[in-house]
Amino acid sequence: MTAPSSMLTFNAGSLLVLSGLPGAGKTRLRQAAQGLPEGAWVSMDELRRQVLGTLNVLNGGRPQTQVRQEANDVVYHMAQAIVAERMRHGLSTVVDATNLTDADRQAWIEHAQAHGAEAVVLIVDTPLDECLRRMSGRTDWVPQSRILEMLEAGASAQGKGDGFERRSVHPYRLLTGGETLCFRPRPVATEQLDVVSDVHGLLDDLLVLLAEAGWQVRDGVLRHADAQRRLLFLGDLVDRGPDSLPLLELVQRSCEAGTAQCLQGNHEAKLLKFVDQAQREGIERWGSWANAETGMNLLKLPEERRQRLLAFMRGLPPYLVHEPAKVAFVHGDVHRFDPFLSLREDLVHGQSGFRQGVDSDALYAAGHRAGLNAYLVIRGHVPPTSEQDCIVSIEAQGYQKGELRLLRFDEFLAARAAGVGVQAAVRQALRVRACSHDQQAHAERQFGLAKALEALTSRKLVRRSLDPSKLLRSYKYAKEVFWLGAWDESPYLIKARGIVLDAAGTVVSNPFDKVFNYGEREVGRDLPDTLPVVEALKLNGFLGIISPHPLKRGELLVHTQGSLDPENAYVRHITELLQPRQRGLLARFFSQRPMTLMLEVLHPQDPHIVEYGPDEHGLYLIGARTLGFEDPELPEDALDPIAEQLALRRPWWRRTTLGEVKRRVRECRDEGSMVRADTATQTSLLKMKSPFYLTTKFLARLSSKNARHLFGNPQDFKKHQDEELYPIVDAVAARFDLDGFLALSESERVRAVRDIIDSQQ
């Protein structure tokens, strides 16, 4: 609390919450207020008059006007909506209501907090007897009984006191009612100011530019040799460049230390919306990949750091002014500027909406000539749209091989005082740093995979599934890709085998690429039998995938090719087989070596063609790769120590030749083999399925009904089968008719299908 003074000054855009009994002097405060824009005073009594009007009554034989109270709930919600909207737009607001307790004040304060606005409770502490005396002489009258009811309700809620809290947990001032409230435009700290254009995560370039202007980072804060000098950032600290969050934290610390000020740019505003939506309902799609990239990195921060940055960005003002020179600093390309009436979104996002052919600077100049725009504006956001003498942009798109710019404001003012024109004075006072960052190239590298997979999803060649938070999405090629033969439609299709990206397109789980069966798309036909290969047993389970969870530090992201849902039956099969000790081992392993592990899952409730005993059920490590989408799989000999470290099983593997693999697979009674090149990287070449496995699987699916389907429409039948059976379907349909096939005995069918498979392999 501070002592009362006759003039109380508040920054425009603040929320003032009045607190006091009827008759305390709130109306007098309104009459004396300065800088009060239209609509700023939100009076509960005025809203009551609008809703139900007033009623003339006799009070002690004297006619008085009574404000009707019967619609208080409606009036309260109206007032809340008005205040919420004004706070959203950054407009000065005064709440005129009794608000006798902090419980009454809290709802108003929350509207300010939601938008980073300053909020102060003004407690008008006029004694009850004086309030009653004043009220008895007023024409608009609140009955004494109603005033006493207010106090009783407050006392009941508090459980103590007289029902009027004369202190607050929020910032507050204690008033007598004789003060003058004054709103003023938000000021810059000094004219000894270095103004910096949109930095967009280019921290290294910024530090070079600032060093040339005498700034250094000391104790984590930007400081100048001249202790009186200050920095002003025009917003858009984040997105596009490589160091958005370190830059944001540096500016935050500098603002808190008093060496810098910063405006809110449209990219900070979008980032706040991203995080709010992500935490409230998830992100299915977002309009800016670069903004989503920063947003996801922000969500990965520890809670305390994240909340501090969010509070900092919310509290950034939309403008500042240097009133002596009548100069305003804003981010957006405004057409109109008034420190009391301009809406936050216009100042932050600009008023042209990136529309082609709109000369926003010329529009501002026209308003200036007409007397509507009183300030010379220095802005960022987009480069100048034209040269004017009342508005200047120092933005030069440093993120796209442009320039980062710093304007020495005191030098600019000195040049203006010497008679130099506005644009020439700007050029004299500018310091520039040529930047090499190429955002277009970065976007292609960083977001190209996500854009390609989304395009394939829209063409229904890929199926996308979301996790419960809707911040992660997995991609799996559709069955149609096989029977349409669409693999050549995009090189990214082979990546869609359960790969998981976050909302910004960053790979967070990176399982196997698609590996084709021998003979499928002619794969392996040209390889000699003498080729040295690495053969690994193909177990007959399903693919389970485990990666470090990108948003939950120390937790696991467990999924299948087609589902990120923890309640999915197959995902639950994986988690059921994970022992508590293994979870701890995996968490420690991932903290040192973030990567994706691929597992063959043999679960007793998931029977397959090959039968396994109880002692064979479990999780078998069959692959691993780091999280770059072009990163190679680890070779088999690198998987063995990982499996031992994590208490996972391993299928057998050996070095051999392709011919030996064929001979083994032809006679085995397991699913077959995975075949990799016997090189340092052991690139996967193909899968080879055994005749035993394929025959059993094909005939198990060929009931009389399905046989009629196969022979009636082979191509449609294939749509409902796994791709490894396609060649068998084609051969059976070509070699037999329905009656002939159904006439075969079971052993004859087995022999016929085996002959087909042998000829194909």
Side-chain angles (χ1 to χ4, degrees), residues 417-458:
V420 178
V422 169
Q423 296 293 336
V426 167
R427 287 189 285 271
Q428 287 183 23
L430 271 183
R431 308 290 186 272
V432 301
R433 163 72 177 174
C435 303
S436 60
H437 184 75
D438 186 340
Q439 175 58 20
Q440 291 181 358
H442 169 76
E444 183 57 36
R445 290 191 305 271
Q446 182 67 24
F447 313 126
L449 172 65
K451 290 179 180 179
L453 291 173
E454 285 295 315
L456 291 168
T457 300
S458 67

Side-chain angles (χ1 to χ4, degrees), residues 543-565:
L543 178 62
I545 306 161
I546 302 180
S547 298
H549 201 292
L551 298 174
K552 300 176 182 178
R553 191 179 298 269
E555 295 190 27
L556 307 178
L557 177 62
V558 181
H559 64 102
T560 64
Q561 295 180 71
S563 179
L564 289 164
D565 184 358

Side-chain angles (χ1 to χ4, degrees), residues 96 221 258 549 599 622 692:
D96 183 352
V221 171
H549 201 292
L599 309 168
I622 60 171
F692 160 77

Side-chain angles (χ1 to χ4, degrees), residues 194 196 199 203 206-211 214-227 229-233 237 246-261 406:
D194 290 333
V196 180
V199 185
L203 178 57
L206 173 68
L207 293 178
V208 172
L209 176 64
L210 291 181
W215 291 89
Q216 298 292 332
V217 178
R218 296 198 300 273
D219 301 323
V221 171
L222 290 165
R223 301 183 189 277
H224 198 276
D226 178 358
R229 197 155 196 87
R230 297 292 181 266
L231 276 168
L232 172 59
F233 293 91
L237 301 175
L247 170 62
L248 190 62
E249 289 185 308
L250 174 62
V251 175
Q252 176 195 16
R253 292 192 300 269
S254 301
C255 289
E256 290 172 350
T259 64
Q261 291 176 285
L406 178 150

Side-chain angles (χ1 to χ4, degrees), residues 722-736:
D722 294 336
E723 72 279 6
E724 60 202 15
L725 301 181
Y726 287 4
I728 305 173
V729 172
D730 291 336
V732 168
R735 188 173 300 185
F736 298 96

